[in-house]
Amino acid sequence: MNEETTTPNRRDFLKNAAALAGITVAPGILLYSVSQAKPADQSVTSEQRWGMLIDVTQCTSGCDECVKACTVEHGLTEATRPEIAAHWIRKVGLRDKQTGQEYSLPVLCQHCEHPPCADVCPTGASFKRADGIVLVDKHICIGCRYCMMACPYKARSFIHETLENQKPYSPRGKGTVESCNFCVHRVDKGKNPACVEACQQAGHEAMIFGDLNDPYSKISEKLKIVKSTALRADMRLNPGVRYQGL
Amino acid sequence: MKNMVYRELEGNSPGYYGLLGISAILVALGLFAAYNMEHHGHVITGMTNQIVWGMPHIFAIFLILAASGVLNVASIGSVFRKTFYSPLGRLSALLAITLLIGGLSILVLDLGHPDRLLVAMTTYNFKSIFAWNIYLYNGFLVIVAVYLWFMMERRMQRYYPVAGLVAFIWRLILTTGTGSIFGFLVAREAYNAAIMAPLFIALSLSLGLAAFILILLTDCTETHCPLGEGILHRPKSLLGVFVAAAFYFVLAYHFTNLYITERHGIEYFILVGGGIYTFLFWGGYLLIGTLLPLILIYHPQLNQSRKNITLAAVLVLIGGFSLLYVIIIGGQAYPLDIFPGMEVTASGFFDNSPVHSYVPSHWEIMLGIGGIAISVLLTTLALKILPFLPASLADADLDPQLLD
Ligand code: SF4
């Protein structure tokens, strides 16, 4: 595995100059909660960059609570054939070819800073929100599947058949492509994504979600002290999802 | 050269109506397949979330490449001033248009949302090479149409070499664009290579010329127009050059990959252990599509027969199709390397399959054939409406020097 240690982006300190100034007048804890939740009437800004840290040492191989929670949250149903089923998050088991060490970890859309899916999408249906969340606009996706060809993580699914029982907050549709959206509907309300919540409820604490731009967020604090790595770090896509202990 | 006389197809023969009828039926079947794919979704195809571009893409890219390559005949006439090819310029430009329309129809009908074609035409992401291609294809249709008009309209003939040059350059950019659809896929080991663009250009030249030779031969048996041996001789030799050029780029592509250690897996897969892909590469592309045609074209006795030339052209098309299958499907069948240095022991999403399987469904093949039929139908109709064909393709009428 490419062992590239992640350090918080230096630029972010400059970007957050305003936020940093606020610390001197307000208690740190208040600042933390302010940067986590976004009032509904405010538009998304690049002041935040949402990210996730997955602690592989805390993830157990038999557990798939995160996958189940995602399936329920977004109404992902069984498909006619397993090969065409939609997967927003999946569990993967790995063995190091050199050392034989085994790992178990969830893989989801890595929410890259430079997402190849958004680069190749002809209509701009695939895009990155200002706060770093990579999304598909289902209304202008023409279903060309070029983004699926471009994604290095195989994080996307094409909907091959008619869907029923959809969740109003998570629109999906036959003939379009979809992938993990970091539970954007929950994040906008200041909540954690469903997978993170499920992992915590199962007592594993293998996933932390938060604002990478906020130097005092739990995720940033932890990233400062632990060694973490990005999948396919060689491609320099700067994913928002990082792995610890891989 | 004396003034060429052009003519329309008479188009009264049973053969003509037969061709028209069969292609119309095949077009209808293709549209029916597309309707079903839209109605039921791609569940009825062999495509999956692992192999997302299937048989329709092979047909589509095959036709798009042939479209750009077929224009070469006109280019040789106008850009390179080989008067010998000039009389065939009209047919060449017509075929460029009809083949491209056939290929694009397949691409559009295979979309998850063909009904959103208007979205694709109006909402652009300029960083996407796909979006550029939409411009390149539309531009190609317009430019070649103008080129054709200048060729056919006496008053415009002064500008015809300029139009020819523009079309020639546009065509090169277009094929570069088509190749780059794959070349820019940095995540896929089989594709991420700049050589995809020249490889596609060379392939387009051989496919286009092979298609042109076949259509010329069919046309002349159909209408009993005199077709000289000389007129076949030059494109025949040129076809050999193009086939060899495509082979050169395929060779360079594989040598590069063999040199890069991390690509050994995909190379082994294609060249040795890939089942159908290995078979299609060696048997379909190399033997049938490259070696045999080269023998037929260059063997001093074999290349005297018109049947052998026809056969060589057919084999080149089969070879090109096989190569595209290996590149497009084989490149996806080989799993992505998401975790370098790791062996995937379990996965909820097929990361641990040694190879992703794909079996095209009859719907996909119907759609692909429907696209070819669109090209045939349009060409057949156009030939009857406007004078695209030289009245005679006898050697003496084309170029008296040939008789020497
Ligand atoms: S499938 Fe949809 S989201 Fe993906 S590249 Fe095509 S239009 Fe964009």
Side-chain angles (χ1 to χ4, degrees), chain A residues 117 120-126 136 140-148 156 177:
Chain A
C117 56
V120 301
C121 177
T123 62
S126 281
V136 179
I140 54 173
C141 170
I142 55 173
C144 67
R145 284 112 60 205
Y146 198 21
C147 52
M148 300 179 74
R156 300 206 142 190
V177 165

Side-chain angles (χ1 to χ4, degrees), chain B residues 38-231:
Chain B
E38 165 129 29
H39 183 73
H40 298 283
H42 279 60
V43 61
I44 62 167
T45 70
M47 285 177 254
T48 61
N49 278 331
Q50 283 67 24
I51 309 261
V52 299
W53 286 354
M55 207 51 155
H57 279 78
I58 320 264
F59 276 99
I61 292 174
F62 180 80
L63 285 174
I64 292 171
L65 288 182
S68 119
V70 85
L71 190 65
N72 200 44
V73 174
S75 302
I76 299 175
S78 63
V79 181
F80 301 108
R81 307 286 169 134
K82 296 274 185 263
T83 45
F84 166 74
Y85 282 100
S86 298
L88 300 172
R90 293 182 180 186
L91 180 62
S92 151
L94 171 69
L95 286 171
I97 293 176
T98 56
L99 289 174
L100 188 68
I101 293 178
L104 291 183
S105 308
I106 304 176
L107 268 195
V108 168
L109 291 171
D110 178 59
L111 290 177
H113 268 289
D115 53 312
R116 292 187 184 161
L117 182 61
L118 207 65
V119 175
M121 293 294 204
T122 48
T123 323
Y124 285 110
N125 163 27
F126 286 101
K127 215 181 161 188
S128 165
I129 189 114
F130 238 34
W132 303 354
N133 274 318
I134 299 175
Y135 271 101
L136 289 173
Y137 296 148
N138 289 335
F140 185 81
L141 292 176
V142 173
I143 288 172
V144 178
V146 170
Y147 179 33
L148 196 55
W149 173 45
F150 284 7
M151 265 193 266
M152 297 176 91
E153 172 65 59
R154 205 166 277 276
R155 283 169 302 153
M156 290 298 176
Q157 283 205 337
R158 292 192 283 153
Y159 305 111
Y160 140 73
V162 184
L165 188 64
V166 174
F168 173 71
I169 293 169
W170 196 273
R171 190 197 78 209
L172 287 182
I173 301 174
L174 178 121
T175 323
T176 308
T178 312
S180 303
I181 288 180
F182 297 96
F184 284 12
L185 288 172
V186 287
R188 303 251 172 192
E189 289 175 58
Y191 301 140
N192 177 20
I195 201 166
M196 292 309 264
L199 169 63
F200 271 47
I201 291 182
L203 195 61
S204 89
L205 292 174
S206 70
L207 292 181
L209 192 57
F212 187 82
I213 291 177
L214 282 181
I215 289 159
L216 197 61
L217 285 169
T218 327
D219 219 57
C220 282
T221 28
E222 166 60 21
T223 58
H224 313 290
C225 69
L227 176 68
E229 287 307 322
I231 195 162

Side-chain angles (χ1 to χ4, degrees), chain A residues 140-192:
Chain A
I140 54 173
C141 170
I142 55 173
C144 67
R145 284 112 60 205
Y146 198 21
C147 52
M148 300 179 74
M149 292 291 273
C151 175
Y153 307 106
K154 209 154 84 72
R156 300 206 142 190
S157 301
F158 177 68
I159 301 310
H160 287 70
E161 50 197 337
T162 309
L163 298 174
E164 271 149 27
N165 303 325
Q166 295 191 52
K167 307 281 181 190
Y169 49 78
S170 187
R172 310 167 59 218
K174 179 180 72 184
T176 61
V177 165
E178 57 185 37
S179 56
C180 158
N181 60 10
F182 263 172
C183 284
V184 69
H185 60 288
R186 295 170 62 106
V187 173
D188 283 348
K189 291 197 189 104
K191 294 207 275 179
N192 271 331

Side-chain angles (χ1 to χ4, degrees), chain B residues 279-303:
Chain B
F279 175 77
L280 282 178
F281 179 79
W282 293 105
Y285 169 67
L286 210 60
L287 180 69
I288 296 184
T290 304
L291 289 179
L292 286 182
L294 285 179
I295 293 173
L296 289 174
I297 290 169
Y298 287 116
H299 191 284
Q301 270 104 53
L302 290 178
N303 72 6

